[in-house]
Amino acid sequence: MSVQAVIRQKAQSPYTEEALAYVREQFGLSDAVARLILARGYADDAEIDAFLHPEHVPLPDPFSMADMDKTVRELRAAIIAGEKICIYGDYDCDGICATAILYHALKTLGADVRTYLPLRHSEGYGLNAGRVRALHAEGVQCLVTVDNGISANAEIALAKELGLRVIVTDHHHIKGELPAADAVVCADRDGYAERVNDFCGAGVAYQLVRALDISAAEENFALPLAALATVADVVQLTRANRRIAGTALPRMGENLGLRALLRVAGAKVFDAFAAGFVLGPRINAAGRLGDANRALRLLLCEDEAEAAVIAADLDAENLRRRALEDHILTDIRARYTEEELQARNILIFSDPDWEQGVLGIAAARVCQAYARPCILLTESGDHLLSGSARSTPEVHIFELLCACGAHLTRFGGHAAAGGLTLAPGNLDAFCAAAQAYIAAQFPEGLPAPCIYYDVSLRAAECTVQLCDELDTLAPFGAGNEEPCFLLEDHSLQYPRAMGGGKHLSAYLCDGTRSLRMAAFNWGDALAEWQSYDRVNALLRIKRNEYNGRVSCEAHCVHLCPAFR
């Protein structure tokens, strides 16, 4: 790692040895997994059973969402009246999946329906007044938002002035008054038990499909897309979302376009990893670097040859996206030494040639590498600088932007991420204000980053049986993070390079058993590893299948000397 880190155990729910023994016996679990489940707060048989069996989690009644009944009535009235309906989505994976879900459902009902996905670079997120006027001029009579609209009060007021029927479906935080739409279904509305970030935009669209009561076949189309978006949009994998993701991720292959995309990416299994790191990024790449409608066409495609062409295009865009990210990081490291980067308490950089669509991902990579908040900016075409911010758990980036708001034209965000726009002449003053804000918050300097683990293990406990049990805890993601284990005071044996020097492998031994450990993209740490004798290792436990042989191995998260 580029920075030193503090190893800490996650806060654990209290439990007794009697409870541990009961869970081990009742559910047939190893000591390690029983401890993990109890530590995460699953206390009674029903909770543990639902966690181990997502299919047992009930889906909430879609009509428990405020205005769902009005939404169904308005949509059916628009269809009966033969109104031209436009589904106005978003250019990210969640918005594209939500658009596909609702478009497919309304077509099944015989609606005269079209879609619109805004262009990231020229239109930005959500409704805009110019597009509302254009849609009205094109004859649209009913406007339905998915994954946006809850804060578009002015644009929706305009749509109503023009005589449009307007329905909002969203999951983002409500700021102030609700928009004056004919119906507003949002996971952040009071009285809805699941609340914001328990459903993504596609999850809300899926609930609407259930409320429309079309057919089982329509739910079968919608559910895998809702599962993909749930993982890709990093919403909480708890309660209803655990049911959606846990039961439907393996079914993503029922969508012809997703089959083509997985194939061209060289992956084989439809699971949470595929959703988060294979399919999601390629669908997002369409909107980051061009027109998101390419990804929408893929999800709705019914022709294998066409799907293969679009999938290859999105795969190529994803490679270009990675290259643009790498270019930004290379630029930064060429301009500044490691010492200069570490000396700053916030990293703010601007370049007119950087691609705006990848700034957020690049900022996240810089933030992770240097354990510093990072803001990356580029020219936005309107004589302003626009960009993205990503932060560490210690620094609330939205509060920082608020404190420095006098230097900004506009901004928004939350604790971990944000977006901002400012005049070029204000950049120096903004940088100084941001540095001063963090210096005041942390007069002794930013604290060392913490890396958290769930429970401790010995190498002897790392078996194929443990891998099998951990599989029952999937899918992993926000709200159900993949377990991280501490192997404390183990000897480090046979460290060596692999993958042309890019990666490392070694063995951890507790005196009775050795566990193979792989460390991806750690190649520059070989000499350091060779100097270690006994270590503390933070690991994720993985099943390895090679030449018909199944074994348990570890993937390294963090490694440091064991001080005794």
Side-chain angles (χ1 to χ4, degrees):
M1 298 183 66
S2 301
V3 294
Q4 295 299 313
V6 176
I7 297 175
R8 288 182 181 165
Q9 189 170 20
K10 290 180 182 177
Q12 299 201 337
S13 298
Y15 58 87
T16 65
E17 288 298 319
E18 291 78 9
L20 178 62
Y22 174 81
V23 170
R24 274 199 315 260
E25 296 302 318
Q26 180 72 11
F27 295 95
L29 300 173
S30 65
D31 184 79
V33 174
R35 283 188 285 136
L36 178 66
I37 288 174
L38 289 171
R40 291 193 173 184
Y42 296 97
D44 59 41
D45 285 13
E47 287 183 343
I48 296 172
D49 178 71
F51 182 60
L52 295 175
H53 303 283
E55 67 275 12
H56 294 174
V57 178
L59 283 173
D61 180 357
F63 290 100
S64 66
M65 300 184 77
D67 273 11
M68 184 64 83
D69 54 345
K70 290 171 64 176
T71 298
V72 170
R73 285 200 305 271
E74 294 289 341
L75 280 174
R76 291 195 178 276
I79 294 169
I80 291 170
E83 294 178 7
K84 292 184 178 180
I85 301 171
C86 179
I87 301 168
Y88 196 107
D90 186 26
Y91 42 66
D92 71 355
C93 183
D94 184 22
I96 295 167
C97 288
T99 302
I101 287 170
L102 195 53
Y103 175 82
H104 199 273
L106 294 184
K107 287 292 285 185
T108 300
L109 288 173
D112 180 0
V113 59
R114 56 173 289 187
T115 64
Y116 188 81
L117 302 179
L119 297 171
R120 176 190 291 265
H121 296 83
S122 59
E123 294 181 284
Y125 169 79
L127 288 171
N128 66 80
R131 184 53 54 187
V132 170
R133 290 191 179 93
L135 291 172
H136 173 255
E138 293 165 11
V140 169
Q141 299 158 288
C142 177
L143 181 63
V144 185
T145 72
V146 291
D147 194 31
N148 75 96
I150 197 62
S151 60
N153 296 52
E155 293 81 5
I156 289 171
L158 171 63
K160 292 304 298 176
E161 289 174 13
L162 294 171
L164 273 67
R165 190 193 305 261
V166 182
I167 298 166
V168 171
T169 74
D170 203 349
H171 74 116
H172 293 100
H173 285 295
I174 299 168
K175 299 176 182 178
E177 296 293 322
L178 289 176
D182 295 279
V184 178
V185 173
C186 182
D188 196 31
R189 289 194 67 174
D190 289 338
Y192 181 52
E194 295 298 310
R195 302 296 297 166
V196 71
N197 281 338
D198 281 312
F199 275 138
C200 61
V204 175
Y206 171 63
Q207 286 289 81
L208 176 52
V209 169
R210 294 181 66 221
L212 288 167
D213 193 26
I214 300 174
S215 67
E218 200 56 42
E219 279 202 44
N220 288 338
F221 175 85
L223 187 56
L225 296 185
L228 167 60
T230 295
V231 174
D233 212 49
V234 199
V235 293
Q236 298 291 303
L237 288 181
T238 57
R239 293 184 290 183
N241 279 342
R242 183 159 175 78
R243 160 73 176 268
I244 290 171
T247 59
L249 285 173
R251 293 175 50 193
M252 291 188 293
E254 295 173 10
N255 184 285
L256 186 151
L258 293 182
R259 287 204 306 273
L261 195 57
L262 193 80
R263 188 182 308 117
V264 78
K268 297 180 180 179
V269 180
F270 287 100
D271 57 13
F273 180 85
F277 297 98
V278 179
L279 302 172
R282 285 163 173 79
I283 291 172
N284 276 322
R288 288 188 183 280
L289 301 180
D291 187 350
N293 282 289
R294 295 172 294 172
L296 178 60
R297 289 198 303 273
L298 180 70
L299 297 183
L300 296 170
C301 188
E302 297 180 352
D303 179 82
E304 289 198 11
E306 180 186 2
V309 171
I310 300 174
D313 177 44
L314 296 187
D315 190 58
E317 283 287 72
N318 192 54
L319 290 174
R320 188 162 77 91
R321 185 265 303 170
R322 290 181 187 172
L324 290 168
E325 288 174 38
D326 291 341
H327 170 69
I328 293 174
L329 269 67
T330 300
D331 266 5
I332 292 171
R333 286 169 173 156
R335 298 177 196 176
Y336 305 95
T337 66
E338 293 287 309
E339 291 74 16
E340 288 173 322
L341 293 170
Q342 293 287 359
R344 302 185 180 199
N345 58 25
I346 182 170
L347 303 175
I348 304 175
F349 305 112
S350 177
D351 190 293
D353 295 327
W354 288 345
E355 169 61 46
Q356 189 170 1
V358 303
L359 290 183
I361 310 174
R365 288 177 60 183
V366 174
C367 176
Q368 182 179 29
Y370 297 101
R372 300 285 189 277
C374 178
I375 298 174
L376 299 181
L377 301 157
T378 190
E379 291 181 358
S380 58
D382 49 6
H383 306 293
L384 294 171
L385 298 176
S386 293
S388 295
R390 296 294 184 270
S391 193
T392 62
E394 296 78 20
V395 179
H396 195 298
I397 199 66
F398 182 66
E399 292 180 358
L400 181 148
L401 295 176
C402 289
C404 305
H407 308 291
L408 303 175
T409 303
R410 57 183 178 269
F411 63 90
H414 49 79
L420 64 159
T421 300
L422 70 159
N426 289 345
L427 180 58
D428 289 343
F430 170 69
C431 291
Q435 297 274 0
Y437 174 85
I438 294 181
Q441 295 286 314
F442 304 97
E444 298 182 3
L446 283 169
C450 292
I451 302 180
Y452 293 94
Y453 69 94
D454 290 278
V455 296
S456 299
L457 291 179
R458 306 299 295 171
E461 297 179 85
C462 299
T463 63
V464 173
Q465 178 188 347
L466 177 62
C467 295
D468 292 340
E469 290 184 35
L470 291 175
D471 285 345
T472 67
L473 311 187
F476 300 119
N480 184 41
E481 288 76 14
E482 184 176 1
C484 183
F485 298 100
L486 170 65
L487 269 66
E488 192 172 11
D489 195 21
H490 282 53
S491 65
L492 184 70
Q493 301 176 348
Y494 314 118
R496 66 178 185 85
M498 61 179 186
K502 187 176 181 181
H503 314 300
L504 299 180
S505 72
Y507 286 85
L508 295 165
C509 184
D510 62 3
T512 60
R513 183 176 181 273
S514 291
L515 173 69
R516 183 180 182 273
M517 174 178 65
F520 298 102
N521 300 308
W522 282 52
D524 57 359
L526 178 59
E528 185 180 349
W529 280 30
Q530 289 173 334
S531 70
Y532 293 160
D533 177 21
R534 303 192 69 82
V535 296
N536 295 335
L538 295 187
L539 310 168
R540 303 201 191 280
I541 303 301
K542 302 288 186 180
R543 172 196 301 274
N544 182 43
E545 297 184 23
Y546 183 72
N547 284 341
R549 180 176 176 269
V550 180
S551 63
C552 173
E553 71 172 25
H555 290 182
C556 183
V557 174
H558 183 69
L559 192 78
C560 63
F563 298 104
R564 292 188 292 172

